Amino acid sequence: MSRGPHILAILTAVLVALTGCAGAAPEPVRDPHPADGPLPVVDTSALRPPTPFTGLRMVDPGWSVAPQYADGVFLAPAAREDLQRFTAVDVQGEVRWVAERPADSTGFAVTADADGRALAVLTDVHRPAGVASDKVTATAYELATGDPVWGPVEVPGPHAGPGLVFARSSDDSARTSGTRTVLDPTTGRVLASESGTSGQRVLGEYHGTVLVTDDRTLTALNATGGQELWQIPLAEHGRVRTAIHPSGAAAAAEGLALLEAEHSPGLLIDLRKGSILNETARDAAVDPGTGTVVVLDEAGLHATRDGQHLWSLPVTDDTRLAALGGALVYLREGGAVRVHNVITGEVADAYTPAMAGTILVPARITADGAAVFTEGPRHLLATLVPEPGASG
């Protein structure tokens, strides 16, 4: 054997090894840990937020999707350096913790345990050597601190939602997902699954309430322990509802669930009372300050408080409910923005006419006045901290 081909083989092997190393994804730091530094402050000189948010410091956490929220802390991932970096940020704009996952581990949910403690549940995709399919796990952390609570526990597939619902890929091309399983937020144990049951389907977990359905009833279970809370007959009011699914629209406010059914395109459920509030709802939200419920349905926009009707307004087919908070409801109508007082229904002057710049419309407003704004691909956080030099 001549030395030429032998040396060439060695060089080729080295080259392949080096190429493989260069293309390998970095190993994620999975456990929550402190951030490297503070979040970048946004230059708002060319932006035009609503009047209640002018003068507040705005930060950019780099989130690539809309954050979820509970108890003063937002959470969302950002795709960085072939990883998903989850960042938990409080309403003052301080980073509570960060945690990393592989690039394809984007699933997460914010929920609450039996004591009402807010939890962050992150998924993780593993690819064991010699195994054909991925192994997916879920791990819960205290949202405020990043302290571990339970897990990792193996789940049947990626996060599907709403809440702690996970689904194995479907072999049926007509279904968007396969068997759905929901976890107990307090323990991480399986609370309900579609496997091995007679027609039971898992709809979602809504901050401690799990909804399941069969051919006859919609049933709510306590997410801790699985005790039945209430049932709604699907033939109630003489109309049989079939093929119930979680709504693809934005999640309704806490205490509400928005579902879709064959004969009820927007089934708005009061989770506490176990009653149907609306059968044509497109979206709904609750003002955390006044307790006013605003529902967008086929007939228009309606507001109620303590069960009493406050007002109704006509809307166009392309009207969307952007956010509700501070006694104001923000609507998008095509390229326009409408703002109304939630108590009176009157049009509100939410923007300072003299200001110039890109109009910002809130996507989420907290009870204490922080807000998330979507500006192009960015999800910006208006904190409770005044900008340096801001009056008031």
Side-chain angles (χ1 to χ4, degrees), residues 127-217:
R127 294 194 167 84
V131 177
S133 59
D134 294 339
K135 172 184 173 184
V136 183
T137 61
T139 305
Y141 306 98
E142 190 170 348
L143 179 61
T145 64
D147 291 340
V149 178
W150 52 256
V153 299
E154 187 168 351
V155 291
H159 177 254
L164 297 191
V165 177
F166 303 86
R168 186 169 53 239
S169 300
S170 175
D171 296 329
D172 182 353
S173 59
R175 296 189 61 178
T176 55
S177 65
T179 302
R180 292 164 64 86
T181 294
V182 58
L183 300 186
D184 181 333
T186 303
T187 64
R189 292 194 289 264
V190 173
L191 182 70
S193 177
E194 296 175 351
S195 61
T197 62
S198 56
Q200 176 180 274
R201 292 187 296 111
V202 174
L203 298 180
E205 183 263 325
Y206 301 86
H207 283 261
T209 302
V210 172
L211 295 184
V212 298
T213 185
D214 56 24
D215 292 338
R216 297 176 300 171
T217 56

Side-chain angles (χ1 to χ4, degrees), residues 375-389:
E375 194 252 343
R378 300 193 297 175
H379 301 272
L380 308 178
L381 175 60
T383 72
L384 300 182
V385 179
E387 285 186 334

Side-chain angles (χ1 to χ4, degrees), residues 76-97:
R80 293 179 184 172
E81 300 171 347
D82 293 330
L83 293 171
Q84 294 292 336
R85 178 170 296 173
F86 290 84
T87 307
V89 185
D90 65 24
V91 291
Q92 280 78 36
E94 301 299 319
V95 178
R96 294 295 187 94
W97 51 270

Side-chain angles (χ1 to χ4, degrees), residues 317-339:
D317 291 342
D318 63 349
T319 299
R320 297 291 179 267
L321 203 165
L324 177 58
L328 297 176
V329 55
Y330 296 79
L331 306 175
R332 288 186 180 274
E333 288 182 336
V337 179
R338 280 173 56 185
V339 185

